[in-house]
Structure formats: C-alpha cells, structure tokens
Amino acid sequence: MIGTSELLLIGALVLLLFGGKKLPEMMRGLGQGVRSFKDGMKEGADHQVDAANPNDAQQQAAPQQQTASTEKKNEQTDDK
C-alpha cells in the first residue's frame, strides 16, 4: 500500500521532471482519456444489453405505437 510519504515523493519527482507548466496539461489529457474510456465502456454495455435481448427493443416500441393509434381513435370519436 502506498502511504502519504511515498505519494509526496512521487509528486515531487513528477514536478521536477515535467515542470509546473506541463503538469496541468498532462493531467487534463489524463482526465479526458479517463472520461473517454468510461463513455466507451458505457456504450459497450448498452450494445451488449441490446444484443442479448433484441425482443425488448421491439416490445418497448410496440406499446408506443399502440398508444399513438389509440389516441387517433379517441380523437376521431371526439370529433363525432
């Protein structure tokens, strides 16, 4: 397990090696990379769920279509 003193030593070495101006740019790039990785993992999980249950997408679309047709019928009967 890394303790506080080790983290401070690593931080000081990184600061000496890269300098104060380059360090924020590197951390920004690291943050963007992590965000991109998380988004990719989330998309991959969504595709796996869709591939595992293709009927779920059809079943979810069907009630919406039924609702639209029911609303049209109700509008027609209201007009009479």
Side-chain angles (χ1 to χ4, degrees):
M1 193 79 172
I2 297 177
T4 305
S5 59
E6 288 88 1
L7 286 175
L8 289 174
L9 181 63
I10 292 170
L13 288 174
V14 168
L15 186 61
L16 286 173
L17 288 174
F18 297 108
K21 291 184 180 180
K22 190 71 172 170
L23 198 58
E25 294 174 17
M26 290 174 51
M27 292 299 112
R28 190 175 303 116
L30 180 66
Q32 289 174 351
V34 169
R35 187 179 307 122
S36 175
F37 179 76
K38 284 182 179 180
D39 291 343
M41 292 296 290
K42 187 175 181 180
E43 286 179 15
D46 290 344
H47 290 298
Q48 287 178 350
V49 170
D50 291 343
N53 300 319
N55 293 331
D56 288 345
Q58 293 173 353
Q59 290 173 355
Q60 290 175 354
Q64 292 174 352
Q65 291 173 351
Q66 290 174 352
T67 305
S69 63
T70 304
E71 289 175 1
K72 286 181 184 179
K73 288 179 184 178
N74 289 339
E75 288 177 6
Q76 290 173 354
T77 56
D78 290 342
D79 292 340
K80 290 181 181 180

